[in-house]
Amino acid sequence: MVTTESRSISKGSDLLAQSDLRQSNVLSVYEKARAINIEKNNARLRALGLISANEERKSNASAWGLEEKSSNIKRKPSSRPPSEGCRKSRRLLKLSSEISENVVTGGNEEERQEGIEKEREVIVKECREARQRAAMEVAKLGVESAARENPTATYEHCLMRIRSMTKKGLINRVRSIERGAGKHCVVKMAIFKSCLQDENMWELAKLASEALERLKGLQSPP
Protein backbone atom coordinates (compact mmCIF):
# COMPACT_ATOMS: atom_id res chain seq x y z
CA MET A 1 0.00 0.00 0.00
CA VAL A 2 1.41 3.40 -0.99
CA THR A 3 1.18 5.88 1.87
CA THR A 4 0.96 9.69 1.63
CA GLU A 5 4.47 9.88 3.03
CA SER A 6 5.75 7.47 0.37
CA ARG A 7 4.14 9.58 -2.37
CA SER A 8 5.70 12.73 -0.91
CA ILE A 9 9.15 11.15 -0.79
CA SER A 10 8.67 9.93 -4.36
CA LYS A 11 7.64 13.42 -5.48
CA GLY A 12 10.66 14.93 -3.81
CA SER A 13 12.91 12.31 -5.35
CA ASP A 14 11.51 13.10 -8.78
CA LEU A 15 12.26 16.78 -8.29
CA LEU A 16 15.80 15.98 -7.23
CA ALA A 17 16.30 13.67 -10.19
CA GLN A 18 15.27 16.43 -12.56
CA SER A 19 17.68 18.96 -11.06
CA ASP A 20 21.11 19.64 -12.52
CA LEU A 21 22.19 20.36 -8.95
CA ARG A 22 21.05 17.02 -7.52
CA GLN A 23 24.59 16.03 -6.50
CA SER A 24 24.80 19.06 -4.20
CA ASN A 25 21.25 18.64 -2.85
CA VAL A 26 21.66 15.48 -0.78
CA LEU A 27 19.14 15.87 2.02
CA SER A 28 19.48 14.47 5.51
CA VAL A 29 16.69 12.45 7.15
CA TYR A 30 15.60 15.59 9.05
CA GLU A 31 15.58 17.70 5.87
CA LYS A 32 13.49 15.08 4.02
CA ALA A 33 10.98 14.94 6.89
CA ARG A 34 10.81 18.73 6.87
CA ALA A 35 10.25 18.82 3.10
CA ILE A 36 7.47 16.24 3.41
CA ASN A 37 5.78 18.35 6.10
CA ILE A 38 5.98 21.40 3.85
CA GLU A 39 4.48 19.53 0.88
CA LYS A 40 1.60 18.23 2.99
CA ASN A 41 0.90 21.68 4.43
CA ASN A 42 1.12 23.28 0.98
CA ALA A 43 -1.40 20.81 -0.46
CA ARG A 44 -3.83 21.58 2.35
CA LEU A 45 -3.36 25.37 2.17
CA ARG A 46 -3.76 25.32 -1.61
CA ALA A 47 -7.03 23.39 -1.29
CA LEU A 48 -8.27 26.03 1.16
CA GLY A 49 -7.33 28.90 -1.15
CA LEU A 50 -4.72 30.28 1.25
CA ILE A 51 -1.76 29.98 -1.13
CA SER A 52 -1.58 30.15 -4.93
CA ALA A 53 -0.24 27.48 -7.28
CA ASN A 54 2.91 29.55 -7.80
CA GLU A 55 3.43 29.96 -4.05
CA GLU A 56 3.00 26.20 -3.60
CA ARG A 57 5.46 25.39 -6.39
CA LYS A 58 8.12 27.77 -5.08
CA SER A 59 7.70 26.54 -1.51
CA ASN A 60 8.00 22.86 -2.52
CA ALA A 61 11.06 23.57 -4.67
CA SER A 62 12.70 25.44 -1.80
CA ALA A 63 11.90 22.61 0.62
CA TRP A 64 13.74 20.11 -1.57
CA GLY A 65 16.67 22.46 -2.13
CA LEU A 66 15.67 23.36 -5.66
CA GLU A 67 15.15 27.11 -5.38
CA GLU A 68 14.79 28.88 -8.69
CA LYS A 69 17.66 31.27 -9.20
CA SER A 70 16.90 34.49 -11.00
CA SER A 71 19.04 34.81 -14.05
CA ASN A 72 21.25 37.88 -14.21
CA ILE A 73 21.45 38.39 -17.93
CA LYS A 74 24.15 40.78 -19.01
CA ARG A 75 24.20 42.51 -22.33
CA LYS A 76 27.24 41.90 -24.45
CA PRO A 77 29.11 45.08 -25.22
CA SER A 78 28.87 46.07 -28.84
CA SER A 79 32.09 45.81 -30.83
CA ARG A 80 30.98 48.91 -32.71
CA PRO A 81 31.03 52.31 -30.95
CA PRO A 82 27.66 54.09 -31.20
CA SER A 83 27.48 56.84 -33.72
CA GLU A 84 27.23 60.33 -32.30
CA GLY A 85 23.69 61.53 -31.65
CA CYS A 86 22.24 58.04 -31.97
CA ARG A 87 19.55 57.01 -29.44
CA LYS A 88 20.66 53.97 -27.44
CA SER A 89 17.25 52.96 -25.99
CA ARG A 90 15.98 49.68 -27.50
CA ARG A 91 12.43 50.66 -26.52
CA LEU A 92 12.62 53.97 -28.42
CA LEU A 93 14.10 52.14 -31.40
CA LYS A 94 11.17 49.68 -31.20
CA LEU A 95 13.48 46.71 -30.76
CA SER A 96 12.62 43.69 -28.59
CA SER A 97 14.19 43.61 -25.15
CA GLU A 98 16.97 41.06 -24.62
CA ILE A 99 15.58 40.21 -21.19
CA SER A 100 11.83 40.37 -21.85
CA GLU A 101 11.49 36.70 -20.83
CA ASN A 102 11.94 37.69 -17.20
CA VAL A 103 9.91 40.84 -16.63
CA VAL A 104 10.10 40.78 -12.85
CA THR A 105 13.89 40.44 -12.58
CA GLY A 106 14.91 42.08 -15.83
CA GLY A 107 14.10 45.08 -17.97
CA ASN A 108 13.62 48.59 -16.68
CA GLU A 109 12.01 49.62 -13.40
CA GLU A 110 8.61 50.21 -15.02
CA GLU A 111 8.56 46.69 -16.51
CA ARG A 112 9.63 45.11 -13.22
CA GLN A 113 6.92 46.92 -11.29
CA GLU A 114 4.30 45.97 -13.88
CA GLY A 115 5.38 42.31 -13.61
CA ILE A 116 5.16 42.41 -9.82
CA GLU A 117 1.68 43.97 -9.92
CA LYS A 118 0.43 41.33 -12.37
CA GLU A 119 1.85 38.51 -10.26
CA ARG A 120 0.14 39.93 -7.16
CA GLU A 121 -3.21 40.21 -8.97
CA VAL A 122 -2.96 36.56 -10.05
CA ILE A 123 -2.19 35.40 -6.49
CA VAL A 124 -5.14 37.28 -4.96
CA LYS A 125 -7.61 36.29 -7.71
CA GLU A 126 -6.61 32.61 -7.66
CA CYS A 127 -6.78 32.37 -3.87
CA ARG A 128 -10.20 34.05 -3.72
CA GLU A 129 -11.62 31.65 -6.33
CA ALA A 130 -10.11 28.64 -4.56
CA ARG A 131 -11.61 29.74 -1.24
CA GLN A 132 -15.04 29.93 -2.87
CA ARG A 133 -14.65 26.44 -4.33
CA ALA A 134 -13.45 25.09 -0.99
CA ALA A 135 -16.30 26.65 1.02
CA MET A 136 -18.44 23.48 0.86
CA GLU A 137 -15.45 21.25 1.67
CA VAL A 138 -14.15 23.11 4.71
CA ALA A 139 -15.74 20.74 7.22
CA LYS A 140 -14.16 17.71 5.56
CA LEU A 141 -10.72 19.28 5.79
CA GLY A 142 -11.07 19.95 9.49
CA VAL A 143 -10.95 23.74 9.43
CA GLU A 144 -14.42 24.12 10.97
CA SER A 145 -13.13 22.20 13.98
CA ALA A 146 -10.09 24.46 14.11
CA ALA A 147 -12.31 27.54 14.00
CA ARG A 148 -14.48 26.24 16.86
CA GLU A 149 -11.42 25.53 18.99
CA ASN A 150 -9.75 28.82 18.08
CA PRO A 151 -11.98 31.57 16.57
CA THR A 152 -8.95 33.60 15.42
CA ALA A 153 -8.46 30.95 12.71
CA THR A 154 -11.44 32.28 10.70
CA TYR A 155 -10.83 34.39 7.62
CA GLU A 156 -13.49 37.00 8.32
CA HIS A 157 -12.30 37.57 11.86
CA CYS A 158 -8.73 37.93 10.62
CA LEU A 159 -9.74 40.51 8.01
CA MET A 160 -11.59 42.50 10.65
CA ARG A 161 -8.53 42.48 12.94
CA ILE A 162 -6.16 43.51 10.16
CA ARG A 163 -8.33 46.50 9.22
CA SER A 164 -8.29 47.75 12.81
CA MET A 165 -4.59 47.19 13.63
CA THR A 166 -1.55 49.43 13.19
CA LYS A 167 1.46 48.33 11.17
CA LYS A 168 3.37 47.66 14.39
CA GLY A 169 0.45 45.63 15.69
CA LEU A 170 0.35 43.55 12.51
CA ILE A 171 4.09 42.83 12.74
CA ASN A 172 3.68 41.80 16.37
CA ARG A 173 0.77 39.53 15.39
CA VAL A 174 2.94 37.69 12.87
CA ARG A 175 5.62 37.21 15.51
CA SER A 176 3.05 36.09 18.07
CA ILE A 177 1.60 33.37 15.82
CA GLU A 178 5.08 32.09 15.00
CA ARG A 179 6.27 32.12 18.62
CA GLY A 180 3.13 30.34 19.79
CA ALA A 181 3.55 27.58 17.17
CA GLY A 182 0.25 26.01 18.22
CA LYS A 183 -1.58 23.11 16.61
CA HIS A 184 -3.26 25.31 14.00
CA CYS A 185 -0.45 27.87 13.58
CA VAL A 186 0.14 27.01 9.91
CA VAL A 187 -3.48 27.66 8.93
CA LYS A 188 -3.62 30.79 11.09
CA MET A 189 -0.45 32.23 9.57
CA ALA A 190 -1.62 31.36 6.04
CA ILE A 191 -4.95 33.10 6.69
CA PHE A 192 -3.11 36.13 8.06
CA LYS A 193 -0.79 36.21 5.04
CA SER A 194 -3.69 35.88 2.60
CA CYS A 195 -5.69 38.63 4.35
CA LEU A 196 -2.69 40.97 4.14
CA GLN A 197 -2.48 40.24 0.41
CA ASP A 198 -6.21 40.94 0.04
CA GLU A 199 -5.70 44.28 1.80
CA ASN A 200 -2.76 45.13 -0.52
CA MET A 201 -0.26 45.08 2.37
CA TRP A 202 2.43 43.24 0.44
CA GLU A 203 5.40 44.22 2.58
CA LEU A 204 3.71 42.74 5.66
CA ALA A 205 2.44 39.78 3.61
CA LYS A 206 6.05 38.97 2.74
CA LEU A 207 6.93 38.97 6.44
CA ALA A 208 4.04 36.60 7.13
CA SER A 209 5.01 34.38 4.17
CA GLU A 210 8.53 33.98 5.50
CA ALA A 211 7.19 33.03 8.94
CA LEU A 212 4.73 30.64 7.29
CA GLU A 213 7.56 28.81 5.51
CA ARG A 214 9.34 28.27 8.82
CA LEU A 215 6.19 26.94 10.50
CA LYS A 216 5.29 24.60 7.62
CA GLY A 217 8.56 22.74 8.08
CA LEU A 218 7.95 22.19 11.78
CA GLN A 219 4.24 21.34 11.85
CA SER A 220 2.38 18.54 10.11
CA PRO A 221 -1.24 19.29 9.13
CA PRO A 222 -3.47 18.57 12.17
Side-chain angles (χ1 to χ4, degrees):
M1 180 179 178
V2 180
T3 64
T4 303
E5 182 172 342
S6 299
R7 286 195 296 270
S8 295
I9 293 175
S10 175
K11 185 177 180 181
S13 300
D14 290 342
L15 284 171
L16 288 172
Q18 294 168 11
S19 172
D20 292 334
L21 304 175
R22 60 185 177 277
Q23 296 300 326
S24 61
N25 284 323
V26 179
L27 302 181
S28 66
V29 174
Y30 168 79
E31 289 170 327
K32 287 180 181 178
R34 179 180 177 277
I36 290 167
N37 269 349
I38 289 173
E39 283 193 334
K40 288 178 179 178
N41 277 307
N42 282 336
R44 183 170 185 241
L45 297 178
R46 174 86 189 284
L48 295 173
L50 298 177
I51 61 173
S52 67
N54 193 41
E55 287 174 309
E56 180 184 26
R57 179 177 56 78
K58 287 181 178 179
S59 178
N60 287 344
S62 176
W64 291 99
L66 304 175
E67 294 97 337
E68 295 180 354
K69 295 183 179 180
S70 59
S71 57
N72 294 321
I73 304 173
K74 295 183 179 179
R75 299 174 187 265
K76 294 182 179 179
S78 174
S79 57
R80 226 178 15 175
S83 57
E84 201 167 333
C86 176
R87 290 185 183 272
K88 302 177 182 64
S89 168
R90 296 181 65 83
R91 179 178 61 82
L92 292 174
L93 290 172
K94 297 183 179 179
L95 298 175
S96 61
S97 170
E98 294 177 14
I99 50 176
S100 59
E101 69 272 14
N102 198 339
V103 175
V104 175
T105 58
N108 58 38
E109 184 60 32
E110 184 180 349
E111 289 174 332
R112 283 195 296 272
Q113 190 58 40
E114 183 181 348
I116 290 170
E117 291 299 326
K118 285 182 179 178
E119 185 178 10
R120 288 174 174 176
E121 287 174 10
V122 169
I123 289 173
V124 171
K125 183 174 184 290
E126 181 185 334
C127 288
R128 282 175 179 167
E129 290 175 352
R131 284 196 298 274
Q132 291 172 357
R133 290 194 302 270
M136 301 302 294
E137 302 295 328
V138 168
K140 296 178 184 178
L141 294 169
V143 177
E144 266 189 5
S145 174
R148 284 196 298 270
E149 294 173 25
N150 193 340
T152 58
T154 65
Y155 202 90
E156 294 78 9
H157 183 72
C158 186
L159 267 178
M160 181 183 69
R161 290 193 67 178
I162 283 176
R163 289 166 180 165
S164 64
M165 293 170 73
T166 63
K167 182 177 180 179
K168 183 178 179 181
L170 293 170
I171 292 172
N172 287 337
R173 181 60 183 157
V174 170
R175 291 172 178 167
S176 175
I177 295 172
E178 184 173 13
R179 279 197 306 266
K183 183 179 179 182
H184 302 292
C185 64
V186 171
V187 171
K188 286 171 66 175
M189 187 68 82
I191 289 174
F192 202 73
K193 181 272 306 180
S194 193
C195 286
L196 289 168
Q197 290 174 338
D198 267 350
E199 293 297 298
N200 203 30
M201 299 179 181
W202 289 93
E203 182 182 346
L204 292 169
K206 183 176 183 294
L207 184 69
S209 293
E210 291 168 352
L212 176 61
E213 289 305 306
R214 293 189 289 269
L215 289 173
K216 283 190 293 191
L218 297 174
Q219 297 276 355
S220 296

